[in-house]
Amino acid sequence: IRSLCFSPCGKLVLTGGGDDRIRWWDAATGKRLGQVRELIGPCVLGFMDGTRAAVLEADGQASVVTVPGGTVA
């Protein structure tokens, strides 16, 4: 894991890994809930709200990803 952040509600964890993928996890159980997309190198992650997160990749590309499955409250 290169980057990690918790959702504002504390129920989800977003990770950016050494395999260049962004994944969502249940914070309580550690169960992987899904994979959003591939990224380029190390990244910085930060939740904007309960449904979206900002991603800054190694190449300087910034983007917003949405939690698969809708709102997390």
Side-chain angles (χ1 to χ4, degrees), residues 11-73:
K11 294 181 180 180
L12 287 182
V13 177
L14 176 66
T15 63
D19 62 354
D20 297 335
R21 300 193 186 277
I22 298 173
R23 291 189 171 88
W24 300 98
W25 307 84
D26 182 298
T29 66
K31 179 181 177 183
R32 189 174 79 185
L33 301 175
Q35 176 177 296
V36 179
R37 66 176 182 84
E38 292 186 15
L39 54 104
I40 298 173
C43 66
V44 175
L45 309 167
F47 272 90
M48 299 167 62
D49 56 27
T51 62
R52 299 175 300 151
V55 178
L56 178 62
E57 300 179 46
D59 66 352
Q61 177 180 324
S63 59
V64 175
V65 295
T66 302
V67 176
T71 302
V72 178

